[in-house]
Amino acid sequence: MPELPEVETIRRDLEKVVIGKKIEKIELLDHKLIRGIKPELFIKEVEKTIINRILRRGKYLIFVLSNGEFLVFHLKLTGQLIYGSADRRSRIIFHFKDNCMNFLDLRRFAELRLSNDWTKEKGIVGMGPEPFDRDFTLEKFQYMLSKKKTKIKPLLMDQNFLAGVGNIYAQEALFRIGVHPERLTNKLRPEEIKNLYQAIKDVLNEAIKYRGSSVDAYVDTQGRKGQMETRLRVYGRGGQPCINCKTPLKEIKLGGRGTTFCPQCQK
DNA sequence: CGGGGCTCCTGTGCGC
DNA sequence: TGCGCACAGGAGCCCC
């Protein structure tokens, strides 16, 4: 499941190899991943354009094209962008003069849109602040939380609240500060809010440093796994002993999503 | 506005 | 050993 760190890792890797390249030809092997535009038109619009920049917003990856349009990718659960080696599982192949980029997706939830203004796209309009933006201050986070009275863990995963955090890093951040995932936001103490603010940034930074977590299908643009998975303290460890106190980690459902925490350390 | 449930899709992993 | 089925999960959408 690519979250902010995984998408950012892909963005940085791709930036090194596709900026300035012309998309000579597109092989559209699975039409389903293209949303909101007829496949023929999509190909017509995008072929022969040059990739000028690659941006990220939350879990979205945005290619700035030379024709003024934008390719907007969301990898969802199992989307992958692999550079340079043709793959029989490819669903869309972007051919450059001397190489290619493959868009793969096992479960076909991923999507690719062509946009005139990526900031207006559904899912991006109304998105919460970027965790690493300068204007995402502790004061702002405190204010954002003061407007809510909901369980903290699902809220952290809400893209309209905060961009880029998903199921893995929401759980990890809460474990690090000893807060139960079902705690109500209006019951968080000022000290806990401060710790949470820092823990979110810390865990995302650490995950970027270790090139993401390869749970489910995530791999980088060369098909390599991330190194963050082994550093995760609660995610996917239900029933195993807590690394701090050895209490078996508990697994519950929150908003339909698996959630693991330590019943001893997280109150 | 918020929470619950459903939907998309397919490989995995369980029970028998 | 093999079959069949429930399940997971990001995010939009509908409903109450």
Side-chain angles (χ1 to χ4, degrees):
Chain A
M1 294 179 294
E3 302 181 23
L4 185 154
E6 290 75 23
V7 177
E8 180 62 18
T9 299
I10 291 170
R11 192 195 70 78
R12 291 180 186 182
D13 284 359
L14 284 178
E15 204 168 46
K16 292 175 194 158
V17 288
V18 305
I19 297 298
K21 291 202 174 162
K22 187 196 274 188
I23 299 169
E24 300 284 354
K25 186 172 166 51
I26 293 174
E27 265 186 88
L28 199 49
L29 304 169
D30 185 350
H31 289 191
K32 183 183 182 289
L33 304 205
I34 303 279
R35 306 294 161 88
I37 182 172
K38 289 210 169 93
E40 310 77 50
L41 185 58
F42 173 84
I43 290 173
K44 184 169 172 284
E45 290 285 315
V46 178
E47 278 185 351
K48 307 302 178 192
T49 64
I50 292 165
I51 302 169
N52 282 338
R53 292 177 71 192
I54 305 179
L55 315 172
R56 181 190 57 73
R57 175 80 169 98
K59 305 176 193 174
Y60 286 86
L61 207 56
I62 299 126
F63 284 30
V64 180
L65 303 178
S66 56
N67 67 353
E69 298 190 290
F70 306 92
L71 287 177
V72 180
F73 293 84
H74 196 305
L75 303 178
K76 297 289 180 81
L77 301 176
T78 55
Q80 301 174 332
L81 283 170
I82 307 280
Y83 180 75
S85 55
D87 195 305
R88 64 188 168 77
R89 299 164 305 154
S90 295
R91 297 189 185 274
I92 303 176
I93 308 175
F94 298 84
H95 289 279
F96 307 112
K97 192 172 181 181
D98 56 354
N99 226 320
C100 66
M101 184 184 76
N102 298 270
F103 188 18
L104 291 73
D105 183 30
L106 197 59
R107 285 182 209 167
R108 306 175 76 205
F109 282 176
E111 52 182 72
L112 174 56
R113 298 179 230 163
L114 184 64
S115 175
N116 294 317
D117 182 354
W118 65 271
T119 64
K120 302 284 196 300
E121 285 296 312
K122 190 182 296 177
I124 294 181
V125 158
M127 190 179 261
E130 282 292 319
F132 295 122
D133 263 12
R134 200 167 294 163
D135 71 346
F136 180 62
T137 58
L138 174 59
E139 291 69 31
K140 177 158 184 165
F141 189 52
Q142 287 164 335
Y143 176 76
M144 287 160 58
L145 284 172
S146 73
K147 298 284 159 201
K148 302 283 182 179
K149 290 177 189 169
T150 165
K151 291 175 181 175
I152 185 61
K153 192 262 187 173
L155 182 64
L156 291 178
M157 292 176 60
D158 181 350
Q159 301 303 296
N160 291 329
F161 178 73
L162 182 64
V165 175
N167 203 23
I168 300 173
Y169 302 114
Q171 295 177 56
E172 293 298 314
L174 290 171
F175 175 78
R176 289 178 179 219
I177 62 165
V179 166
H180 194 291
E182 290 183 287
R183 276 281 288 288
L184 298 179
T185 51
N186 56 335
K187 300 283 168 105
L188 290 172
R189 298 191 301 271
E191 187 68 11
E192 290 174 325
I193 293 176
K194 191 179 165 202
N195 291 342
L196 180 56
Y197 173 78
Q198 195 57 48
I200 290 166
K201 297 215 218 196
D202 286 349
V203 76
L204 294 176
N205 260 324
E206 185 178 336
I208 291 171
K209 181 179 169 190
Y210 288 93
R211 302 182 56 77
S213 303
S214 287
V215 301
D216 220 330
Y218 170 73
V219 290
D220 69 15
T221 61
Q222 296 183 59
R224 300 175 305 197
K225 293 190 170 194
Q227 301 300 312
M228 187 64 188
E229 188 185 348
T230 56
R231 309 181 70 85
L232 300 178
R233 303 176 192 175
V234 284
Y235 180 86
R237 298 191 64 244
Q240 296 178 43
C242 170
I243 61 162
N244 289 339
C245 72
K246 309 283 187 278
T247 303
L249 297 177
K250 201 170 165 187
E251 198 167 1
I252 59 172
K253 286 267 185 209
L254 265 187
R257 298 291 168 253
T259 305
T260 308
F261 64 99
C262 175
Q264 182 69 34
C265 301
Q266 293 176 260
K267 300 290 185 190

